Amino acid sequence: MLNRCRRRLLHVLGLSFPLLTPLLSPPHLMKPLVVFVLGGPGAGKGTQCARIVEEMDQTMAANAQKNKFLIDGFPRNQDNLQGWNKTMDGKADVSFVLFFDCNDEICIERCLERGKSSGRSDDNRESLEKRIQTYLQSTKPIIDLYEEMGKVKKIDASKSVDEVFDEVVKIFDKEG
Protein backbone atom coordinates (compact mmCIF):
# COMPACT_ATOMS: atom_id res chain seq x y z
CA MET A 1 0.00 0.00 0.00
CA LEU A 2 2.74 2.44 1.00
CA ASN A 3 4.72 1.74 -2.16
CA ARG A 4 1.61 2.35 -4.26
CA CYS A 5 1.10 5.71 -2.48
CA ARG A 6 4.73 6.67 -3.00
CA ARG A 7 4.56 5.75 -6.69
CA ARG A 8 1.36 7.75 -7.10
CA LEU A 9 2.92 10.75 -5.35
CA LEU A 10 6.01 10.50 -7.55
CA HIS A 11 3.80 10.28 -10.63
CA VAL A 12 1.79 13.34 -9.55
CA LEU A 13 5.01 15.24 -8.88
CA GLY A 14 6.39 14.21 -12.26
CA LEU A 15 9.22 12.18 -10.75
CA SER A 16 10.36 8.90 -12.21
CA PHE A 17 10.08 5.51 -10.52
CA PRO A 18 13.82 4.69 -10.52
CA LEU A 19 14.04 6.59 -7.26
CA LEU A 20 12.09 3.75 -5.64
CA THR A 21 13.05 0.77 -7.72
CA PRO A 22 16.73 0.75 -8.67
CA LEU A 23 16.22 -2.38 -10.79
CA LEU A 24 14.12 -0.33 -13.22
CA SER A 25 16.62 2.51 -13.49
CA PRO A 26 18.14 3.03 -16.92
CA PRO A 27 21.72 1.76 -17.26
CA HIS A 28 23.01 5.21 -18.26
CA LEU A 29 22.18 6.64 -14.83
CA MET A 30 25.21 6.21 -12.64
CA LYS A 31 25.08 5.96 -8.88
CA PRO A 32 26.72 8.95 -7.22
CA LEU A 33 30.30 8.37 -6.13
CA VAL A 34 31.07 9.45 -2.60
CA VAL A 35 34.39 10.41 -1.07
CA PHE A 36 34.51 10.29 2.71
CA VAL A 37 36.97 12.86 4.05
CA LEU A 38 38.43 11.82 7.39
CA GLY A 39 41.21 12.79 9.74
CA GLY A 40 41.73 14.03 13.25
CA PRO A 41 40.67 17.45 14.53
CA GLY A 42 42.92 20.06 12.94
CA ALA A 43 44.16 17.75 10.17
CA GLY A 44 42.84 20.16 7.53
CA LYS A 45 39.65 18.45 6.35
CA GLY A 46 37.57 21.62 6.15
CA THR A 47 40.36 23.68 4.61
CA GLN A 48 41.04 21.10 1.91
CA CYS A 49 37.36 20.36 1.22
CA ALA A 50 36.76 24.02 0.41
CA ARG A 51 39.56 23.86 -2.16
CA ILE A 52 38.50 20.46 -3.54
CA VAL A 53 34.96 21.73 -4.18
CA GLU A 54 36.31 24.48 -6.48
CA GLU A 55 38.27 21.86 -8.50
CA MET A 56 35.21 19.52 -8.56
CA ASP A 57 32.95 22.33 -9.85
CA GLN A 58 35.28 22.83 -12.81
CA THR A 59 35.54 19.09 -13.49
CA MET A 60 31.79 18.54 -13.34
CA ALA A 61 31.16 21.54 -15.59
CA ALA A 62 33.47 19.97 -18.17
CA ASN A 63 32.11 16.43 -17.77
CA ALA A 64 28.74 15.80 -16.13
CA GLN A 65 29.55 12.08 -15.80
CA LYS A 66 32.19 12.90 -13.21
CA ASN A 67 29.97 13.37 -10.21
CA LYS A 68 31.66 12.84 -6.88
CA PHE A 69 30.31 14.02 -3.57
CA LEU A 70 32.50 14.91 -0.60
CA ILE A 71 31.29 14.02 2.84
CA ASP A 72 33.48 15.85 5.32
CA GLY A 73 34.08 14.18 8.68
CA PHE A 74 31.75 11.23 8.11
CA PRO A 75 31.41 8.44 9.12
CA ARG A 76 32.84 9.31 12.54
CA ASN A 77 31.94 6.03 14.24
CA GLN A 78 30.46 2.57 13.76
CA ASP A 79 26.88 3.84 14.26
CA ASN A 80 27.37 6.40 11.46
CA LEU A 81 28.75 3.71 9.17
CA GLN A 82 25.90 1.30 9.91
CA GLY A 83 23.37 4.08 9.27
CA TRP A 84 25.08 4.94 5.98
CA ASN A 85 25.12 1.32 4.86
CA LYS A 86 21.47 0.81 5.81
CA THR A 87 20.26 4.02 4.16
CA MET A 88 22.52 4.27 1.11
CA ASP A 89 23.10 0.64 0.15
CA GLY A 90 22.58 0.42 -3.60
CA LYS A 91 22.02 4.18 -3.92
CA ALA A 92 25.60 5.49 -3.80
CA ASP A 93 29.07 3.99 -3.95
CA VAL A 94 31.97 4.98 -1.75
CA SER A 95 34.74 5.69 -4.22
CA PHE A 96 37.42 6.11 -1.55
CA VAL A 97 38.28 7.60 1.81
CA LEU A 98 40.52 10.64 1.67
CA PHE A 99 42.49 10.35 4.92
CA PHE A 100 44.35 13.40 6.17
CA ASP A 101 46.96 11.87 8.46
CA CYS A 102 48.56 14.31 10.86
CA ASN A 103 50.53 14.15 14.08
CA ASP A 104 48.38 14.86 17.16
CA GLU A 105 50.57 17.70 18.39
CA ILE A 106 50.48 19.47 15.00
CA CYS A 107 46.68 19.09 15.00
CA ILE A 108 46.45 20.57 18.49
CA GLU A 109 48.68 23.51 17.57
CA ARG A 110 46.64 24.21 14.44
CA CYS A 111 43.39 24.16 16.40
CA LEU A 112 44.79 26.40 19.13
CA GLU A 113 45.86 28.87 16.45
CA ARG A 114 42.45 28.62 14.77
CA GLY A 115 40.80 29.15 18.15
CA LYS A 116 42.35 32.59 18.45
CA SER A 117 40.11 33.86 15.66
CA SER A 118 37.38 31.26 15.14
CA GLY A 119 35.52 31.71 18.39
CA ARG A 120 35.14 27.92 18.65
CA SER A 121 34.86 27.03 22.31
CA ASP A 122 36.28 23.54 21.69
CA ASP A 123 39.57 24.86 20.31
CA ASN A 124 41.36 24.60 23.66
CA ARG A 125 43.97 22.04 24.70
CA GLU A 126 41.75 20.08 27.10
CA SER A 127 38.88 19.74 24.61
CA LEU A 128 41.27 18.94 21.79
CA GLU A 129 42.92 16.11 23.69
CA LYS A 130 39.47 14.62 24.36
CA ARG A 131 38.47 15.08 20.70
CA ILE A 132 41.66 13.33 19.57
CA GLN A 133 40.96 10.41 21.91
CA THR A 134 37.42 10.16 20.54
CA TYR A 135 38.83 10.24 17.01
CA LEU A 136 41.35 7.49 17.82
CA GLN A 137 38.71 5.29 19.48
CA SER A 138 35.79 5.89 17.11
CA THR A 139 36.90 7.21 13.72
CA LYS A 140 40.30 5.60 13.23
CA PRO A 141 38.78 2.08 13.25
CA ILE A 142 36.49 3.18 10.38
CA ILE A 143 39.53 4.35 8.42
CA ASP A 144 41.25 1.03 9.19
CA LEU A 145 38.19 -0.86 7.92
CA TYR A 146 38.28 1.00 4.58
CA GLU A 147 42.06 0.50 4.49
CA GLU A 148 41.45 -3.27 4.58
CA MET A 149 39.17 -2.84 1.55
CA GLY A 150 41.90 -0.91 -0.30
CA LYS A 151 39.82 2.27 -0.39
CA VAL A 152 41.97 4.67 1.66
CA LYS A 153 44.00 7.41 0.00
CA LYS A 154 46.34 8.64 2.72
CA ILE A 155 47.84 12.11 2.65
CA ASP A 156 50.52 13.50 4.95
CA ALA A 157 48.52 16.45 6.28
CA SER A 158 51.39 17.83 8.35
CA LYS A 159 52.65 19.68 5.27
CA SER A 160 51.58 23.16 4.18
CA VAL A 161 48.06 23.78 2.86
CA ASP A 162 49.37 24.09 -0.71
CA GLU A 163 51.54 20.96 -0.48
CA VAL A 164 48.63 18.95 0.89
CA PHE A 165 46.34 20.26 -1.85
CA ASP A 166 48.88 19.25 -4.51
CA GLU A 167 48.63 15.68 -3.19
CA VAL A 168 44.83 15.89 -3.15
CA VAL A 169 44.80 16.99 -6.81
CA LYS A 170 47.03 14.06 -7.76
CA ILE A 171 44.65 11.63 -6.08
CA PHE A 172 41.55 13.10 -7.75
CA ASP A 173 43.29 13.17 -11.12
CA LYS A 174 44.21 9.50 -10.75
CA GLU A 175 40.79 8.44 -9.44
CA GLY A 176 38.90 10.34 -12.13
PDB file of all heavy atoms in Angstrom, residues 26-55:
ATOM      1  N   PRO A  26      17.423   3.197 -15.661  1.00  0.00           N
ATOM      2  CA  PRO A  26      18.144   3.031 -16.924  1.00  0.00           C
ATOM      3  C   PRO A  26      19.637   2.844 -16.676  1.00  0.00           C
ATOM      4  O   PRO A  26      20.190   3.440 -15.753  1.00  0.00           O
ATOM      5  CB  PRO A  26      17.880   4.349 -17.663  1.00  0.00           C
ATOM      6  CG  PRO A  26      16.758   5.002 -16.944  1.00  0.00           C
ATOM      7  CD  PRO A  26      16.739   4.464 -15.565  1.00  0.00           C
ATOM      8  N   PRO A  27      20.300   2.046 -17.483  1.00  0.00           N
ATOM      9  CA  PRO A  27      21.718   1.763 -17.264  1.00  0.00           C
ATOM     10  C   PRO A  27      22.614   2.991 -17.391  1.00  0.00           C
ATOM     11  O   PRO A  27      23.698   3.004 -16.845  1.00  0.00           O
ATOM     12  CB  PRO A  27      22.052   0.721 -18.331  1.00  0.00           C
ATOM     13  CG  PRO A  27      20.933   0.759 -19.308  1.00  0.00           C
ATOM     14  CD  PRO A  27      19.749   1.344 -18.615  1.00  0.00           C
ATOM     15  N   HIS A  28      22.157   4.031 -18.085  1.00  0.00           N
ATOM     16  CA  HIS A  28      23.010   5.206 -18.257  1.00  0.00           C
ATOM     17  C   HIS A  28      23.049   6.103 -17.017  1.00  0.00           C
ATOM     18  O   HIS A  28      23.871   6.994 -16.934  1.00  0.00           O
ATOM     19  CB  HIS A  28      22.576   6.011 -19.486  1.00  0.00           C
ATOM     20  CG  HIS A  28      21.233   6.661 -19.332  1.00  0.00           C
ATOM     21  ND1 HIS A  28      20.065   5.957 -19.529  1.00  0.00           N
ATOM     22  CD2 HIS A  28      20.881   7.920 -18.989  1.00  0.00           C
ATOM     23  CE1 HIS A  28      19.031   6.772 -19.318  1.00  0.00           C
ATOM     24  NE2 HIS A  28      19.504   7.955 -18.991  1.00  0.00           N
ATOM     25  N   LEU A  29      22.153   5.863 -16.064  1.00  0.00           N
ATOM     26  CA  LEU A  29      22.180   6.643 -14.831  1.00  0.00           C
ATOM     27  C   LEU A  29      23.157   6.007 -13.859  1.00  0.00           C
ATOM     28  O   LEU A  29      22.958   4.873 -13.426  1.00  0.00           O
ATOM     29  CB  LEU A  29      20.791   6.721 -14.188  1.00  0.00           C
ATOM     30  CG  LEU A  29      19.761   7.574 -14.900  1.00  0.00           C
ATOM     31  CD1 LEU A  29      18.443   7.530 -14.140  1.00  0.00           C
ATOM     32  CD2 LEU A  29      20.234   9.003 -15.034  1.00  0.00           C
ATOM     33  N   MET A  30      24.215   6.737 -13.547  1.00  0.00           N
ATOM     34  CA  MET A  30      25.214   6.205 -12.638  1.00  0.00           C
ATOM     35  C   MET A  30      24.855   6.547 -11.201  1.00  0.00           C
ATOM     36  O   MET A  30      24.287   7.598 -10.936  1.00  0.00           O
ATOM     37  CB  MET A  30      26.589   6.807 -12.965  1.00  0.00           C
ATOM     38  CG  MET A  30      27.120   6.408 -14.314  1.00  0.00           C
ATOM     39  SD  MET A  30      28.650   7.273 -14.763  1.00  0.00           S
ATOM     40  CE  MET A  30      29.541   7.371 -13.250  1.00  0.00           C
ATOM     41  N   LYS A  31      25.225   5.645 -10.289  1.00  0.00           N
ATOM     42  CA  LYS A  31      25.076   5.957  -8.877  1.00  0.00           C
ATOM     43  C   LYS A  31      26.099   7.024  -8.531  1.00  0.00           C
ATOM     44  O   LYS A  31      27.218   7.016  -9.054  1.00  0.00           O
ATOM     45  CB  LYS A  31      25.358   4.719  -8.023  1.00  0.00           C
ATOM     46  CG  LYS A  31      24.268   3.692  -8.048  1.00  0.00           C
ATOM     47  CD  LYS A  31      24.536   2.630  -7.005  1.00  0.00           C
ATOM     48  CE  LYS A  31      25.067   1.392  -7.686  1.00  0.00           C
ATOM     49  NZ  LYS A  31      25.365   0.308  -6.761  1.00  0.00           N
ATOM     50  N   PRO A  32      25.740   7.944  -7.648  1.00  0.00           N
ATOM     51  CA  PRO A  32      26.718   8.950  -7.224  1.00  0.00           C
ATOM     52  C   PRO A  32      27.916   8.280  -6.552  1.00  0.00           C
ATOM     53  O   PRO A  32      27.768   7.266  -5.858  1.00  0.00           O
ATOM     54  CB  PRO A  32      25.952   9.798  -6.214  1.00  0.00           C
ATOM     55  CG  PRO A  32      24.518   9.465  -6.399  1.00  0.00           C
ATOM     56  CD  PRO A  32      24.449   8.116  -7.012  1.00  0.00           C
ATOM     57  N   LEU A  33      29.082   8.832  -6.788  1.00  0.00           N
ATOM     58  CA  LEU A  33      30.299   8.367  -6.128  1.00  0.00           C
ATOM     59  C   LEU A  33      30.587   9.294  -4.958  1.00  0.00           C
ATOM     60  O   LEU A  33      30.567  10.516  -5.107  1.00  0.00           O
ATOM     61  CB  LEU A  33      31.472   8.371  -7.103  1.00  0.00           C
ATOM     62  CG  LEU A  33      31.359   7.385  -8.262  1.00  0.00           C
ATOM     63  CD1 LEU A  33      32.534   7.553  -9.216  1.00  0.00           C
ATOM     64  CD2 LEU A  33      31.292   5.957  -7.753  1.00  0.00           C
ATOM     65  N   VAL A  34      30.866   8.695  -3.825  1.00  0.00           N
ATOM     66  CA  VAL A  34      31.075   9.450  -2.602  1.00  0.00           C
ATOM     67  C   VAL A  34      32.519   9.311  -2.156  1.00  0.00           C
ATOM     68  O   VAL A  34      33.102   8.232  -2.251  1.00  0.00           O
ATOM     69  CB  VAL A  34      30.124   8.932  -1.497  1.00  0.00           C
ATOM     70  CG1 VAL A  34      30.453   9.535  -0.153  1.00  0.00           C
ATOM     71  CG2 VAL A  34      28.678   9.209  -1.879  1.00  0.00           C
ATOM     72  N   VAL A  35      33.067  10.412  -1.687  1.00  0.00           N
ATOM     73  CA  VAL A  35      34.391  10.407  -1.069  1.00  0.00           C
ATOM     74  C   VAL A  35      34.203  10.843   0.375  1.00  0.00           C
ATOM     75  O   VAL A  35      33.755  11.967   0.643  1.00  0.00           O
ATOM     76  CB  VAL A  35      35.364  11.372  -1.794  1.00  0.00           C
ATOM     77  CG1 VAL A  35      36.703  11.426  -1.063  1.00  0.00           C
ATOM     78  CG2 VAL A  35      35.545  10.960  -3.247  1.00  0.00           C
ATOM     79  N   PHE A  36      34.502   9.923   1.296  1.00  0.00           N
ATOM     80  CA  PHE A  36      34.507  10.286   2.706  1.00  0.00           C
ATOM     81  C   PHE A  36      35.827  10.984   2.997  1.00  0.00           C
ATOM     82  O   PHE A  36      36.887  10.510   2.579  1.00  0.00           O
ATOM     83  CB  PHE A  36      34.402   9.051   3.601  1.00  0.00           C
ATOM     84  CG  PHE A  36      33.078   8.346   3.576  1.00  0.00           C
ATOM     85  CD1 PHE A  36      33.013   6.972   3.715  1.00  0.00           C
ATOM     86  CD2 PHE A  36      31.880   9.044   3.453  1.00  0.00           C
ATOM     87  CE1 PHE A  36      31.801   6.302   3.725  1.00  0.00           C
ATOM     88  CE2 PHE A  36      30.657   8.388   3.459  1.00  0.00           C
ATOM     89  CZ  PHE A  36      30.618   7.012   3.593  1.00  0.00           C
ATOM     90  N   VAL A  37      35.773  12.107   3.694  1.00  0.00           N
ATOM     91  CA  VAL A  37      36.971  12.858   4.050  1.00  0.00           C
ATOM     92  C   VAL A  37      37.147  12.758   5.559  1.00  0.00           C
ATOM     93  O   VAL A  37      36.322  13.265   6.323  1.00  0.00           O
ATOM     94  CB  VAL A  37      36.868  14.339   3.608  1.00  0.00           C
ATOM     95  CG1 VAL A  37      38.133  15.088   3.969  1.00  0.00           C
ATOM     96  CG2 VAL A  37      36.588  14.422   2.110  1.00  0.00           C
ATOM     97  N   LEU A  38      38.217  12.075   5.970  1.00  0.00           N
ATOM     98  CA  LEU A  38      38.426  11.816   7.393  1.00  0.00           C
ATOM     99  C   LEU A  38      39.831  12.193   7.830  1.00  0.00           C
ATOM    100  O   LEU A  38      40.757  12.234   7.036  1.00  0.00           O
ATOM    101  CB  LEU A  38      38.168  10.340   7.701  1.00  0.00           C
ATOM    102  CG  LEU A  38      36.739   9.848   7.492  1.00  0.00           C
ATOM    103  CD1 LEU A  38      36.658   8.342   7.644  1.00  0.00           C
ATOM    104  CD2 LEU A  38      35.802  10.538   8.472  1.00  0.00           C
ATOM    105  N   GLY A  39      39.947  12.449   9.104  1.00  0.00           N
ATOM    106  CA  GLY A  39      41.212  12.787   9.743  1.00  0.00           C
ATOM    107  C   GLY A  39      40.900  13.367  11.103  1.00  0.00           C
ATOM    108  O   GLY A  39      39.743  13.680  11.408  1.00  0.00           O
ATOM    109  N   GLY A  40      41.913  13.508  11.903  1.00  0.00           N
ATOM    110  CA  GLY A  40      41.729  14.033  13.251  1.00  0.00           C
ATOM    111  C   GLY A  40      41.359  15.506  13.257  1.00  0.00           C
ATOM    112  O   GLY A  40      41.427  16.183  12.222  1.00  0.00           O
ATOM    113  N   PRO A  41      40.962  16.013  14.423  1.00  0.00           N
ATOM    114  CA  PRO A  41      40.674  17.447  14.532  1.00  0.00           C
ATOM    115  C   PRO A  41      41.932  18.252  14.207  1.00  0.00           C
ATOM    116  O   PRO A  41      43.002  17.938  14.707  1.00  0.00           O
ATOM    117  CB  PRO A  41      40.264  17.635  15.996  1.00  0.00           C
ATOM    118  CG  PRO A  41      40.537  16.361  16.695  1.00  0.00           C
ATOM    119  CD  PRO A  41      40.833  15.309  15.685  1.00  0.00           C
ATOM    120  N   GLY A  42      41.781  19.212  13.317  1.00  0.00           N
ATOM    121  CA  GLY A  42      42.920  20.055  12.942  1.00  0.00           C
ATOM    122  C   GLY A  42      43.774  19.492  11.825  1.00  0.00           C
ATOM    123  O   GLY A  42      44.797  20.074  11.470  1.00  0.00           O
ATOM    124  N   ALA A  43      43.370  18.360  11.247  1.00  0.00           N
ATOM    125  CA  ALA A  43      44.162  17.746  10.175  1.00  0.00           C
ATOM    126  C   ALA A  43      44.018  18.498   8.853  1.00  0.00           C
ATOM    127  O   ALA A  43      44.804  18.294   7.934  1.00  0.00           O
ATOM    128  CB  ALA A  43      43.773  16.285   9.993  1.00  0.00           C
ATOM    129  N   GLY A  44      42.999  19.359   8.743  1.00  0.00           N
ATOM    130  CA  GLY A  44      42.842  20.158   7.526  1.00  0.00           C
ATOM    131  C   GLY A  44      41.687  19.733   6.638  1.00  0.00           C
ATOM    132  O   GLY A  44      41.616  20.143   5.479  1.00  0.00           O
ATOM    133  N   LYS A  45      40.774  18.929   7.156  1.00  0.00           N
ATOM    134  CA  LYS A  45      39.651  18.445   6.349  1.00  0.00           C
ATOM    135  C   LYS A  45      38.834  19.595   5.766  1.00  0.00           C
ATOM    136  O   LYS A  45      38.593  19.639   4.567  1.00  0.00           O
ATOM    137  CB  LYS A  45      38.725  17.552   7.190  1.00  0.00           C
ATOM    138  CG  LYS A  45      39.373  16.320   7.752  1.00  0.00           C
ATOM    139  CD  LYS A  45      38.423  15.521   8.619  1.00  0.00           C
ATOM    140  CE  LYS A  45      37.877  16.258   9.810  1.00  0.00           C
ATOM    141  NZ  LYS A  45      38.830  16.563  10.873  1.00  0.00           N
ATOM    142  N   GLY A  46      38.401  20.503   6.605  1.00  0.00           N
ATOM    143  CA  GLY A  46      37.567  21.617   6.146  1.00  0.00           C
ATOM    144  C   GLY A  46      38.290  22.518   5.171  1.00  0.00           C
ATOM    145  O   GLY A  46      37.735  22.935   4.148  1.00  0.00           O
ATOM    146  N   THR A  47      39.541  22.823   5.478  1.00  0.00           N
ATOM    147  CA  THR A  47      40.358  23.681   4.608  1.00  0.00           C
ATOM    148  C   THR A  47      40.502  23.059   3.229  1.00  0.00           C
ATOM    149  O   THR A  47      40.309  23.717   2.202  1.00  0.00           O
ATOM    150  CB  THR A  47      41.753  23.892   5.230  1.00  0.00           C
ATOM    151  OG1 THR A  47      41.589  24.536   6.495  1.00  0.00           O
ATOM    152  CG2 THR A  47      42.658  24.715   4.338  1.00  0.00           C
ATOM    153  N   GLN A  48      40.831  21.773   3.196  1.00  0.00           N
ATOM    154  CA  GLN A  48      41.043  21.099   1.914  1.00  0.00           C
ATOM    155  C   GLN A  48      39.731  20.881   1.169  1.00  0.00           C
ATOM    156  O   GLN A  48      39.690  21.016  -0.052  1.00  0.00           O
ATOM    157  CB  GLN A  48      41.792  19.784   2.120  1.00  0.00           C
ATOM    158  CG  GLN A  48      43.217  19.974   2.605  1.00  0.00           C
ATOM    159  CD  GLN A  48      44.085  20.767   1.644  1.00  0.00           C
ATOM    160  OE1 GLN A  48      43.934  20.708   0.431  1.00  0.00           O
ATOM    161  NE2 GLN A  48      45.015  21.535   2.193  1.00  0.00           N
ATOM    162  N   CYS A  49      38.658  20.569   1.893  1.00  0.00           N
ATOM    163  CA  CYS A  49      37.363  20.360   1.221  1.00  0.00           C
ATOM    164  C   CYS A  49      36.917  21.616   0.478  1.00  0.00           C
ATOM    165  O   CYS A  49      36.390  21.531  -0.624  1.00  0.00           O
ATOM    166  CB  CYS A  49      36.290  19.931   2.220  1.00  0.00           C
ATOM    167  SG  CYS A  49      36.365  18.179   2.603  1.00  0.00           S
ATOM    168  N   ALA A  50      37.134  22.766   1.082  1.00  0.00           N
ATOM    169  CA  ALA A  50      36.758  24.016   0.412  1.00  0.00           C
ATOM    170  C   ALA A  50      37.499  24.162  -0.912  1.00  0.00           C
ATOM    171  O   ALA A  50      36.923  24.586  -1.917  1.00  0.00           O
ATOM    172  CB  ALA A  50      37.050  25.206   1.327  1.00  0.00           C
ATOM    173  N   ARG A  51      38.770  23.772  -0.931  1.00  0.00           N
ATOM    174  CA  ARG A  51      39.562  23.859  -2.160  1.00  0.00           C
ATOM    175  C   ARG A  51      39.171  22.770  -3.159  1.00  0.00           C
ATOM    176  O   ARG A  51      39.132  23.008  -4.366  1.00  0.00           O
ATOM    177  CB  ARG A  51      41.052  23.774  -1.825  1.00  0.00           C
ATOM    178  CG  ARG A  51      41.489  24.973  -0.966  1.00  0.00           C
ATOM    179  CD  ARG A  51      42.945  24.947  -0.681  1.00  0.00           C
ATOM    180  NE  ARG A  51      43.665  25.476  -1.839  1.00  0.00           N
ATOM    181  CZ  ARG A  51      44.981  25.654  -1.863  1.00  0.00           C
ATOM    182  NH1 ARG A  51      45.708  25.355  -0.825  1.00  0.00           N
ATOM    183  NH2 ARG A  51      45.557  26.128  -2.942  1.00  0.00           N
ATOM    184  N   ILE A  52      38.885  21.577  -2.666  1.00  0.00           N
ATOM    185  CA  ILE A  52      38.500  20.464  -3.543  1.00  0.00           C
ATOM    186  C   ILE A  52      37.203  20.793  -4.282  1.00  0.00           C
ATOM    187  O   ILE A  52      37.065  20.509  -5.472  1.00  0.00           O
ATOM    188  CB  ILE A  52      38.327  19.160  -2.728  1.00  0.00           C
ATOM    189  CG1 ILE A  52      39.668  18.724  -2.127  1.00  0.00           C
ATOM    190  CG2 ILE A  52      37.759  18.051  -3.609  1.00  0.00           C
ATOM    191  CD1 ILE A  52      39.532  17.638  -1.063  1.00  0.00           C
ATOM    192  N   VAL A  53      36.257  21.404  -3.578  1.00  0.00           N
ATOM    193  CA  VAL A  53      34.959  21.727  -4.178  1.00  0.00           C
ATOM    194  C   VAL A  53      35.135  22.616  -5.405  1.00  0.00           C
ATOM    195  O   VAL A  53      34.484  22.412  -6.428  1.00  0.00           O
ATOM    196  CB  VAL A  53      34.022  22.373  -3.132  1.00  0.00           C
ATOM    197  CG1 VAL A  53      32.809  22.997  -3.786  1.00  0.00           C
ATOM    198  CG2 VAL A  53      33.601  21.331  -2.109  1.00  0.00           C
ATOM    199  N   GLU A  54      36.051  23.603  -5.323  1.00  0.00           N
ATOM    200  CA  GLU A  54      36.311  24.480  -6.480  1.00  0.00           C
ATOM    201  C   GLU A  54      36.800  23.641  -7.660  1.00  0.00           C
ATOM    202  O   GLU A  54      36.361  23.837  -8.793  1.00  0.00           O
ATOM    203  CB  GLU A  54      37.344  25.545  -6.108  1.00  0.00           C
ATOM    204  CG  GLU A  54      36.848  26.551  -5.092  1.00  0.00           C
ATOM    205  CD  GLU A  54      37.937  27.501  -4.620  1.00  0.00           C
ATOM    206  OE1 GLU A  54      38.941  27.672  -5.353  1.00  0.00           O
ATOM    207  OE2 GLU A  54      37.783  28.066  -3.530  1.00  0.00           O
ATOM    208  N   GLU A  55      37.762  22.716  -7.410  1.00  0.00           N
ATOM    209  CA  GLU A  55      38.266  21.862  -8.497  1.00  0.00           C
ATOM    210  C   GLU A  55      37.167  20.975  -9.044  1.00  0.00           C
ATOM    211  O   GLU A  55      37.056  20.743 -10.242  1.00  0.00           O
ATOM    212  CB  GLU A  55      39.431  21.006  -7.968  1.00  0.00           C
ATOM    213  CG  GLU A  55      40.053  20.201  -9.071  1.00  0.00           C
ATOM    214  CD  GLU A  55      41.024  19.185  -8.523  1.00  0.00           C
ATOM    215  OE1 GLU A  55      40.692  18.452  -7.581  1.00  0.00           O
ATOM    216  OE2 GLU A  55      42.109  19.134  -9.088  1.00  0.00           O
TER     217      GLU A  55
END
